[in-house]
Amino acid sequence: QQQQQQQQQQQFHHLNEAKIQQIMTLISQMSNNHPNSLLIQTSICKCLLNLSSHQQFHTQLINNNAVNLIIIAVSNPQPPTELYSYAWHCLANLSSKQLNRSNLYTLELLRIVVISMQYHLTETNIQIQASKFLAYIAHNEKDIQIFLRRQCILKHYTNVLQTYLRIESVQEMALKCIAEIVSSEEEEEDDDDEDEDNNNN
């Protein structure tokens, strides 16, 4: 009987899909009501990050617009470093399964990720989590690899590798990301560059 009570208590405290749905509904309402409150938007990103640590709920989070909520948060002017850190860590968690990846980015979001990395060069967690997310997203995706190269990401990683000479975790993620971003064939990028030059002329 005691064991049965313990099981009931565990079930009561355990997160399930219905509870996640309730939480996501509340978060969405808060986001809609306070899109420009950095305090609330930072808390939303932290909550989404903690929910994303439960892999069984990844699909539900994505279907409940977790990515849109993050885009609203990071689109605010001058978010605190914690907001970026929570946001990119959450996206890195959600993109760990290849099935999810196509739902997890827009080019505008990737541009914001790169800008945040460049602006917060000395924030270790932002560099690690953003690199992890970009490495997942760029895996076998030539268009994204070329897009990121055009965002001067390789120049940024030169700065990262010089800044973090003694921090292996940052160097490891930076090199993983570089490896993904340079894996597409050069000829394709050259062709694209030529097209772009012709358009500019």
Side-chain angles (χ1 to χ4, degrees):
Q1 195 180 1
Q2 195 177 6
Q3 195 178 6
Q4 200 175 5
Q5 277 181 332
Q6 279 179 336
Q7 280 177 339
Q8 282 175 338
Q9 279 182 330
Q10 281 174 346
Q11 283 170 351
F12 180 76
H13 291 298
H14 192 63
L15 282 172
N16 56 36
E17 288 191 8
K19 284 178 187 166
I20 298 288
Q21 194 62 49
Q22 283 179 319
I23 293 166
M24 290 302 293
T25 301
L26 285 171
I27 290 174
S28 294
Q29 287 171 350
M30 292 298 285
S31 182
N32 289 335
N33 292 338
H34 305 281
N36 305 120
S37 166
L38 290 176
L39 202 63
I40 286 174
Q41 292 299 327
T42 302
S43 297
I44 285 170
C45 287
K46 186 175 185 180
C47 190
L48 291 172
L49 167 59
N50 290 342
L51 290 173
S52 75
S53 66
H54 304 274
Q55 203 170 44
Q56 70 268 36
F57 300 129
H58 281 184
T59 303
Q60 195 180 358
L61 290 177
I62 293 163
N63 291 343
N64 276 274
N65 293 325
V67 179
N68 286 350
L69 292 170
I70 285 172
I71 289 172
I72 290 166
V74 298
S75 296
N76 274 292
Q78 296 183 311
T81 54
E82 293 89 352
L83 190 154
Y84 282 133
S85 188
Y86 298 147
W88 307 153
H89 195 163
C90 177
L91 290 177
N93 285 351
L94 292 176
S95 60
S96 58
K97 278 187 186 170
Q98 191 151 4
L99 281 173
N100 298 336
R101 287 174 196 163
S102 59
N103 301 316
L104 285 176
Y105 69 90
T106 63
L107 293 183
E108 186 52 39
L109 176 61
L110 296 184
R111 192 178 281 114
I112 293 171
V113 175
V114 174
I115 290 168
S116 77
M117 294 170 80
Q118 291 166 340
Y119 191 76
H120 296 284
L121 179 62
T122 57
E123 291 291 333
T124 306
N125 208 38
I126 287 177
Q127 298 303 326
I128 291 173
Q129 300 305 334
S131 292
K132 192 182 290 186
F133 170 56
L134 293 178
Y136 281 138
I137 289 295
H139 182 65
N140 288 341
E141 294 288 342
K142 289 182 180 180
D143 290 348
I144 294 175
Q145 292 161 13
I146 291 167
F147 175 80
L148 290 172
R149 293 206 294 264
R150 288 192 174 150
Q151 300 302 306
C152 300
I153 190 87
L154 295 173
K155 185 179 177 185
H156 167 69
Y157 277 129
T158 304
N159 295 334
V160 168
L161 293 172
Q162 288 171 344
T163 304
Y164 292 93
L165 282 171
R166 297 177 190 280
I167 303 179
E168 281 185 22
S169 53
V170 180
Q171 292 202 325
E172 181 194 1
M173 283 318 306
L175 290 168
K176 275 186 183 174
C177 196
I178 291 168
E180 293 293 352
I181 288 165
V182 300
S183 65
S184 60
E185 293 167 26
E186 283 303 317
E187 297 125 302
E188 293 207 12
E189 189 180 9
D190 291 340
D191 291 343
D192 282 0
D193 285 343
E194 263 178 47
D195 292 343
E196 200 167 59
D197 289 342
N198 292 338
N199 291 340
N200 290 341
N201 296 336

